[in-house]
Amino acid sequence: MKTTRLFLSAALLVGLALAPANVDAQVSYERILNAADDPGNWLTYNGTYSSQRYSQLAQITPANVDDLELKWMLPNQVFGAWQSNPIVVDGIMYVTQRPNDVMAVDVATGRVFWLYRHTNAPNALVCCGANNRGVAILEDKLFMGTLDAHLVAIDRINGQPLWKTEVGDVNLAYSITMAPLVVKDKVLVGVGGGEFGIRGYVAAYDADTGEEAWRFYTIPGPGEPGHDTWEGDDWEHGGAPVWITGSFDPDLNLTYWGVGNPGPDWNAEQRPGDNLYSDAVVALDADTGELVWHFQFTPNDGYDYDAVQVPVLADMQWEGEQRRLMLWANRNGYFYVLDRETGEFLSGEPYVRVNWSSGLDQNGRPIPTPQPEGMPTWPGNQGGTNWYPPSFSPRTGLFYFAAWEDYATIYRPEESEYQPGRAFLGGGFDVLTPAPGAPGVGIGRTNPINNWTDEVGHAAVIAMDPLTSQPRWKYEQFDVSDSGMLTTASDLLFTGGREGHFHALDARTGELLWRASLGGQIVMAPVTYLVDGQQYISVISGNSLVTFGLRD
Amino acid sequence: MRLLLRSAACGAFACALLQGAPDEASAQLADHQYTSAAVEAGSRLYVSECALCHGPQGDRVDGVDLRRGQFRAVQSDDDLRRIITVGVDDSRMPAFDFSAAELDAVVAYIRAGFDPEGVAVRIGDPARGAEVFNEAGDCSSCHRVNGVGPRTAPDLSDIGAIRTPASLQRSLLDPYTALLPINRPVMALTREGEMIRGRRLNEDTYSVQLIDSNGRLRSLVKEDLVDFEISRTPTHEPTSLSGDQVADVVGYLLSLRGIQ
């Protein structure tokens, strides 16, 4: 008893010593703006506004990565793919779990301070799992989007909800799975529901009150430019959801968002026209939501090639000139470089086998080569890559992402009738397999036994040189991968995959330097931060959040 | 180090999946009774007339799984025709007034395992099939059934519950396109010089789990292998059994439904 008391007093003293720092260090907009220079924390979904997922931390190096050891684990009690991206602020990690729980976790011990649980409307509907990919933070508030299309503000110290705003109509199958993005005094969030005939948008909310500040529809209404890329009333239920967090360039005051597929997914003939701004990136004025430019990757898409990849912003020398670039490995199989000031197309080359198009014209518009009925299309329905966050290292100048190679599907387009709140798919598809009836790959992995094999698709980490559009190196995996990437100033690349291996690669060469078999699928990117001055790395594998640091 | 024989054969996958591989033997068997046009016509008729009660997968009536050839009383195609034509007393199966061609079509579709592009499968006598399986067919020298036989090849004790008739027939007639990738024979040579042959159970980037030719479970770390190859050639050739014998073996395999 005496020992316990003594121990408690000691802990209390330490706690008191730390507490004032925690309370004082509110997360101001300026702090998020300068997140790259604050690598002890992980302040936004993608780490910084430029979404490079590159950390200046360099304590863990190619030379000592072998000394990584388990610091703590936090299993959740909720089953299903855990796609959440933690943020870390002054010693506290905020991570969500299915369907819409937020936990505040002590990064030193992995113990939980509080858990906030949002109860969704029973008719909340999502295509691909009750996923939530994380929270955003501003000052003393956390912000989470919910499966029933609400935005909730939560007190970051005690976990109490502060306001709750309806972003979309759950009865029409609007939902939110992405982590919001805070820009200045606003919380920006997009809506999912591309498989249910929604009309997508990005909207901004006042961080203090939850009041809507602006809304940008990803399908233009009557009288707006681009409306004529739809026929009849197709635009009213044409999809174009926004379900992955965007980026922000403070100098240009532009915020960038990748837009998802048009609906119905697989029957392009049912909705003639380019179907703007589906499968496009849009650049919006951060204060007004006004469209400044757009670039559409896949016009009149019939393959579900959402452009919901993270817009990665990098400043590089391009043909002898320093330019503000946007790097983009798209689900449609092409890797693009755009000028993010103007939206100008600079280059685009396939990084996996592509047969739905024979190439891109000088403006970056694909030359379509639709396959005959019953014939396979490369890349398949899940794409050459998908939503998993890539990384750009300014040190190596390389762009890293997970690609699905040798993966194809056979589409079966059918006429679909739009019914509010119901699936609006336009047919179906089969994964191409080497034998009739053989198992294929789909969304996520639910089996420790891989009986589909690499013959239906397999992963490669691709280190892409943006200047040449050629991979500098590839790291092949047997199963496909939905893992994101993390690079560090010590030229390490951390990533996972569906097999549950957590890898540290040499970012320059692709050499495997270290790995841990965590067993559960890794379907998000790792994050890194400091705990008492020591670099830690957290990654979610299966139902466990696992944290590594160097041996003491 | 790239150890896998990575098939560059996506083109070949397409062939396997798309053409349905009608070699000579299967053409004889399939068109012996039903044409692929009949199978296709049957799929439309099934959807409009039968699916309401039997369900899209043919398994909605207790004790009946049409797609997998599981019936309450039916053995032969003639049994099927009779029941469709006269119905079943004391059950909810009504009598249908189909033309001969329509009857052929529905039976063909059921026998094709509900695969509109598949081939119709004749299902023979399970008892005779068991004999062929163990003797003329020599299947039991590799496959294990109900605790008897080696474990080299996949255990077939419940194969009738997990495969369609068309898929079973295809495995006999055209093992090249029927073989599931995980079942491809593998060969591994360890650094110590041990040659291991077997069949994969699981694989990932760094390791492979298999049953070796001695029936032992082995887990191999790829880094420790000097060679690891996956053969695209199945362990058996297309069968030389007669059409009747193939039908009997398919009948036997369909009767294998695992422990209940």
Side-chain angles (χ1 to χ4, degrees):
Chain A
M1 199 63 193
K2 199 173 175 187
T3 330
T4 313
R5 263 200 209 119
L6 275 176
F7 175 76
L8 278 175
S9 318
L12 212 58
L13 281 173
V14 175
L16 284 173
L18 284 174
N22 283 346
V23 173
D24 288 347
Q26 294 292 12
V27 183
S28 65
Y29 166 63
E30 283 67 32
R31 210 176 148 194
I32 302 172
L33 207 52
N34 298 312
D37 298 324
D38 181 13
N41 295 291
W42 192 274
L43 294 180
T44 72
Y45 176 77
N46 286 312
T48 63
Y49 278 137
S50 61
S51 301
Q52 294 182 353
R53 287 188 183 257
Y54 166 84
S55 168
Q56 289 180 17
L57 296 183
Q59 291 179 7
I60 303 168
T61 67
N64 67 16
V65 68
D66 256 343
D67 292 334
L68 282 180
E69 67 170 13
L70 179 70
K71 294 299 183 185
W72 51 264
M73 282 176 65
L74 174 62
N76 73 28
Q77 312 300 320
V78 186
F79 294 95
W82 196 0
Q83 294 183 351
S84 187
N85 184 84
I87 62 170
V88 176
V89 183
D90 303 330
I92 299 174
M93 172 184 287
Y94 299 101
V95 62
T96 59
Q97 65 177 10
R98 288 180 169 221
N100 280 119
D101 295 350
V102 186
M103 289 184 285
V105 183
D106 172 22
V107 286
T109 61
R111 309 310 295 189
V112 177
F113 292 108
W114 54 254
L115 185 151
Y116 166 76
R117 178 160 289 173
H118 167 83
T119 305
N120 282 292
N123 61 339
L125 200 55
V126 278
C127 70
C128 313
N131 296 306
N132 180 278
R133 301 191 187 86
V135 295
I137 190 165
L138 182 66
E139 305 295 354
D140 58 356
K141 294 187 191 68
L142 303 170
F143 307 94
M144 172 176 64
T146 68
L147 292 182
D148 56 2
H150 282 65
L151 183 64
V152 190
I154 303 152
D155 184 300
R156 82 171 179 101
I157 304 297
N158 68 11
Q160 281 301 303
L162 301 168
W163 52 256
K164 203 176 275 193
T165 296
E166 187 186 47
V167 175
D169 185 350
V170 68
N171 299 307
L172 296 176
Y174 284 81
S175 60
I176 300 173
T177 55
M178 68 152 74
L181 179 73
V182 164
V183 175
K184 303 178 190 176
D185 58 350
K186 296 185 183 68
V187 188
L188 278 54
V189 71
V191 289
E195 276 63 55
F196 303 96
I198 64 156
R199 180 187 175 206
Y201 47 87
V202 181
Y205 297 86
D206 183 293
D208 281 332
T209 64
E211 201 179 320
E212 184 174 306
W214 54 256
R215 181 181 289 208
F216 170 77
Y217 278 101
T218 52
I219 301 180
E224 291 179 303
H227 182 68
D228 57 359
T229 63
W230 298 84
E231 279 191 7
D233 63 359
D234 292 351
W235 64 278
E236 290 177 358
H237 41 72
V242 180
W243 50 275
I244 286 295
T245 311
S247 307
F248 175 56
D249 183 326
D251 296 334
L252 300 173
N253 199 36
L254 292 179
T255 178
Y256 305 98
W257 298 83
V259 183
N261 62 279
D265 296 41
W266 301 301
N267 190 354
E269 284 181 16
Q270 194 181 326
R271 41 174 168 73
D274 280 359
N275 306 150
L276 288 173
Y277 299 99
S278 70
D279 294 352
V281 52
V282 292
L284 308 178
D285 181 297
D287 300 323
T288 64
E290 213 171 310
L291 179 71
V292 176
W293 61 258
H294 75 276
F295 177 83
Q296 189 177 37
F297 301 97
T298 317
N300 191 233
D301 168 25
Y303 314 103
D304 199 7
Y305 291 152
D306 294 72
V308 291
Q309 296 72 46
V310 173
V312 175
L313 317 184
D315 297 336
M316 298 180 82
Q317 284 280 322
W318 182 265
E319 293 173 355
E321 200 187 329
Q322 185 73 12
R323 288 183 85 157
R324 299 170 184 272
L325 303 181
M326 177 180 289
L327 312 178
W328 201 297
N330 195 276
R331 187 163 167 176
N332 71 9
Y334 287 95
F335 170 74
Y336 296 82
V337 181
L338 306 178
D339 180 314
R340 72 171 183 273
E341 207 166 337
T342 61
E344 185 192 349
F345 166 78
L346 299 178
S347 71
E349 294 291 335
Y351 59 86
V352 287
R353 180 174 176 183
V354 169
N355 74 347
W356 65 273
S357 134
S358 59
L360 306 177
D361 71 15
Q362 57 181 10
N363 298 316
R365 188 182 174 90
I367 300 150
T369 50
Q371 298 303 301
E373 191 187 329
M375 296 300 286
T377 297
W378 279 270
N381 180 70
Q382 289 300 302
T385 188
N386 204 325
W387 58 271
Y388 350 113
S391 174
F392 172 79
S393 164
R395 280 176 55 88
T396 62
L398 299 175
F399 175 86
Y400 306 90
F401 65 102
W404 288 27
E405 301 189 311
D406 296 333
Y407 159 69
T409 57
I410 298 166
Y411 291 92
R412 286 182 276 103
E414 284 168 17
E415 196 76 10
S416 273
E417 192 192 339
Y418 172 70
Q419 292 173 284
R422 302 279 295 275
F424 187 50
L425 297 171
F429 66 88
D430 294 305
V431 172
L432 183 65
T433 59
V441 283
I443 298 172
R445 179 167 170 172
T446 54
N447 196 323
I449 295 166
N450 179 340
N451 68 350
W452 47 94
T453 80
D454 59 340
E455 292 189 32
V456 294
H458 50 96
V461 177
I462 295 183
M464 180 66 78
D465 182 346
L467 303 181
T468 63
S469 291
Q470 293 301 311
R472 182 73 59 80
W473 54 258
K474 284 188 186 187
Y475 190 79
E476 303 270 354
Q477 295 170 32
F478 187 74
D479 199 358
V480 295
S481 169
D482 326 78
S483 177
M485 307 284 148
L486 166 71
T487 54
T488 69
S490 51
D491 292 330
L492 287 174
L493 167 64
F494 289 94
T495 187
R498 282 195 185 177
E499 296 173 341
H501 294 294
F502 184 38
H503 320 255
L505 306 178
D506 186 318
R508 297 162 296 192
T509 63
E511 187 194 347
L512 177 68
L513 300 173
W514 172 85
R515 71 181 168 86
S517 178
L518 305 183
Q521 59 178 344
I522 295 169
V523 287
M524 182 41 89
V527 296
T528 187
Y529 49 88
L530 294 176
V531 176
D532 297 332
Q534 302 294 310
Q535 185 182 0
Y536 276 30
I537 292 184
S538 292
V539 65
I540 292 174
S541 162
N543 292 320
S544 293
L545 198 163
V546 187
T547 295
F548 293 93
L550 291 172
R551 219 162 266 134
D552 292 328
Chain B
M1 181 167 47
R2 186 89 225 118
L3 289 168
L4 285 178
L5 275 187
R6 177 85 66 202
S7 62
C10 290
F13 295 0
C15 296
L17 190 123
L18 297 166
Q19 77 182 23
D23 65 12
E24 215 171 295
S26 70
Q28 270 174 19
L29 251 185
D31 294 335
H32 173 87
Q33 289 180 310
Y34 308 110
T35 63
S36 49
V39 175
E40 221 246 305
S43 76
R44 289 194 297 272
L45 207 55
Y46 180 86
V47 169
S48 62
E49 302 290 333
C50 318
L52 190 64
C53 298
H54 283 279
Q57 299 300 316
D59 56 357
R60 212 171 270 168
V61 172
D62 277 351
V64 177
D65 188 340
L66 297 176
R67 193 164 67 99
R68 300 208 160 93
Q70 183 190 335
F71 307 101
R72 285 177 183 162
V74 166
Q75 288 269 349
S76 67
D77 291 0
D78 284 342
D79 295 343
L80 259 177
R81 281 198 186 78
R82 194 185 64 251
I83 282 179
I84 294 169
T85 312
V86 304
V88 182
D89 289 345
D90 304 329
S91 92
R92 289 190 292 170
M93 177 73 186
F96 287 84
D97 185 19
F98 284 163
S99 70
E102 286 174 328
L103 263 182
D104 278 355
V106 170
V107 173
Y109 181 61
I110 292 170
R111 291 307 198 193
F114 281 30
D115 178 359
E117 286 161 25
V119 290
V121 179
R122 195 150 55 92
I123 296 167
D125 176 60
R128 280 201 311 267
E131 247 171 66
V132 177
F133 184 91
N134 290 312
E135 291 164 22
D138 198 29
C139 314
S140 57
S141 65
C142 298
H143 288 284
R144 187 174 177 94
V145 173
N146 296 332
V148 179
R151 297 183 177 90
T152 326
D155 192 308
L156 301 180
S157 303
D158 59 354
I159 198 73
I162 57 176
R163 292 281 186 90
T164 63
S167 153
L168 292 171
Q169 179 181 280
R170 197 182 297 115
S171 293
L172 287 161
L173 299 180
D174 189 13
Y176 286 87
T177 65
L179 187 69
L180 299 184
I182 191 70
N183 291 332
R184 297 194 197 286
V186 297
M187 187 279 295
L189 181 62
T190 68
R191 256 188 216 139
E192 292 74 35
E194 187 192 4
M195 174 74 85
I196 300 165
R197 291 178 191 281
R199 175 172 57 86
R200 283 177 299 174
L201 299 173
N202 194 7
E203 182 172 347
D204 64 52
T205 305
Y206 305 108
S207 73
V208 58
Q209 290 69 42
L210 49 83
I211 290 188
D212 74 10
S213 50
N214 299 316
R216 282 183 302 173
L217 291 176
R218 307 288 296 265
S219 184
L220 307 175
V221 175
K222 289 179 183 175
E223 222 175 36
D224 298 337
L225 303 176
V226 291
D227 196 12
F228 176 54
E229 289 181 18
I230 298 158
S231 171
R232 300 195 64 81
T233 311
T235 44
H236 63 80
E237 293 292 309
T239 186
S240 54
L241 295 172
S242 71
D244 285 344
Q245 286 174 313
V246 168
D248 289 341
V249 171
V250 171
Y252 169 62
L253 294 174
L254 284 171
S255 75
L256 300 175
R257 313 195 66 84
I259 56 168
Q260 299 297 321

